[in-house]
């Protein structure tokens, strides 16, 4: 029985059906199916799913042996980077917490029990806050979800609940209430002459306008309407290198007097810092230019 590039056959003296499919290296393989003679249709459907997963694994970069979690993670992170997503934090969480435990497993063999054991080991170590643990789990959950969408696995096994992940709580429940800036501290950050003017602008955008760090990093002078009456207006349309904000919503934020003063002082100092007046597409607070002979800071922990 042959259809497409998959065939089903029976061996002499055996009731079990076998499938002939191509492996990730392009060679033909003969693998036993879970079905017996008389169940050719079911065996063919099973074999075609196997062939689809093999083709997807080959497309994901597997050329010899099974596609492991670690190997797929590299391709997955590269795609996250291409899409402008948070690939750096994703890489760190996978590298430090996930891949040491299940990185060598074939992707298709990962089961919910492996994730339960991974989370249980992290919780038992007691060194990670519950929120951080959930961030780690969210990364491997997203990786497995995308593997299912790509046809690499039958079903994503990320099914853990609060019973396995634990409650959403801070490592020290007494710190969050006090983790805020007092008014006097904000006044120092945005008005003390010891604080560089670009930092004053950054702190004012965060504390007075309520912008996220990524939104501050993406803010350009064309987004600043300082002459609008009665208050100037910021247009928040992007975050980091993305063309959208984190929520995808464009916001208008009024420029209150404290923020207006910080932006005005920084705008006056901008030409001295960068050798020219800013244009509409220039970032409001770009990184400082590197000195001509910049050298990497020595790691104090080296040796």
């Amino acid at each position: 029985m042959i259809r497409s590039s998959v065939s089903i056959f029976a061996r002499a003296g055996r009731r079990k059906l076998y499938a002939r499919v191509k492996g990730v290296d392009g060679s033909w393989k003969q693998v036993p199916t879970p079905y017996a003679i008389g169940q050719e249709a079911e065996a063919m459907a099973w074999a075609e799913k196997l062939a689809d997963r093999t083709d997807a694994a080959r497309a994901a970069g597997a050329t010899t042996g099974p596609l492991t979690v670690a190997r797929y993670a590299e391709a997955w992170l590269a795609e996250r980077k291409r899409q402008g997503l948070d690939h750096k934090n994703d890489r760190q969480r996978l590298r430090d917490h996930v891949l040491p435990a299940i990185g060598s497993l074939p992707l298709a063999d990962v089961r919910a029990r492996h994730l339960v054991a991974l989370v249980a080991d992290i919780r038992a170590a007691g060194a990670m806050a519950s929120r951080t643990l959930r961030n780690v789990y969210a990364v491997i959950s997203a990786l497995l979800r995308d593997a299912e969408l790509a046809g690499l696995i039958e079903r994503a096994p990320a099914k853990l609940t609060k019973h396995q992940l634990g409650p959403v709580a801070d490592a020290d429940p007494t710190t969050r209430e006090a983790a805020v800036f007092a008014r006097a501290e904000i006044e120092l950050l945005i008005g003390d002459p010891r604080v560089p003017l670009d930092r004053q602008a950054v702190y004012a955008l965060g504390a007075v306008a309520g912008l996220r760090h990524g939104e501050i990093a993406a803010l350009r002078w064309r987004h600043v309407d300082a002459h609008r009456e009665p208050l100037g207006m910021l247009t928040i349309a992007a975050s980091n290198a993305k063309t959208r904000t984190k929520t995808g919503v464009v916001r208008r934020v009024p420029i209150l007097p404290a923020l207006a003063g910080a932006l005005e002082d920084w705008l006056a100092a901008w030409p001295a810092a960068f050798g020219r007046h800013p244009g509409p597409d220039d970032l409001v607070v770009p990184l400082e230019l590197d000195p001509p002979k910049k050298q990497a800071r020595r790691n104090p922990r080296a040796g």
Side-chain angles (χ1 to χ4, degrees), residues 142 153 205 213 215 238 271 292:
I153 57 178
L205 287 166
H213 291 301
E215 293 169 343

Side-chain angles (χ1 to χ4, degrees), residues 284-301:
V284 173
V285 279
L287 292 173
E288 295 182 6
L289 298 175
D290 289 336
K293 295 183 179 180
K294 177 183 178 183
Q295 297 196 4
R297 177 178 64 87
R298 181 181 180 276
N299 185 342
R301 295 185 295 275

Side-chain angles (χ1 to χ4, degrees), residues 117-252:
L118 169 67
V119 168
D121 288 345
I122 293 176
R123 292 187 66 187
M128 185 181 293
S130 176
R131 294 178 189 274
T132 307
L133 171 59
R134 286 174 176 265
N135 289 336
V136 171
Y137 176 71
V139 174
I140 186 60
S141 179
L143 182 148
L144 293 169
R145 174 205 63 209
D146 290 347
E148 178 186 349
L149 293 175
L152 292 166
I153 57 178
E154 190 74 22
R155 185 174 299 172
K159 304 175 181 179
L160 276 60
T161 68
K162 62 182 180 181
H163 300 292
Q164 293 81 37
L165 296 172
V168 181
D170 298 311
D172 182 353
T174 65
T175 59
R176 183 166 292 268
E177 184 177 349
V180 294
F181 286 102
R183 176 170 178 167
E185 293 172 324
I186 295 297
E187 290 174 347
L188 282 174
L189 289 172
I190 67 177
D192 193 294
R194 293 171 294 178
V195 180
L197 291 177
D198 62 331
R199 295 299 89 195
Q200 290 187 30
V202 168
Y203 300 146
L205 287 166
V208 180
L211 270 59
R212 297 181 174 95
H213 291 301
E215 293 169 343
I216 296 172
L219 192 67
R220 301 182 185 275
W221 285 110
R222 59 182 162 84
H223 298 140
V224 181
D225 184 359
H227 303 293
R228 182 176 178 139
E229 295 293 342
L231 291 174
M233 192 71 69
L234 300 175
T235 300
I236 312 304
S239 179
N240 292 317
K242 302 176 188 177
T243 57
R244 294 282 188 274
T245 62
K246 182 177 180 180
T247 60
V249 177
V250 175
R251 305 200 315 279
R252 303 289 191 272

Side-chain angles (χ1 to χ4, degrees), residues 1-8 44 48:
M1 181 176 182
I2 300 176
R3 179 167 52 183
S4 183
S5 60
V6 178
S7 61
I8 298 296
M44 175 59 76
E48 288 189 333

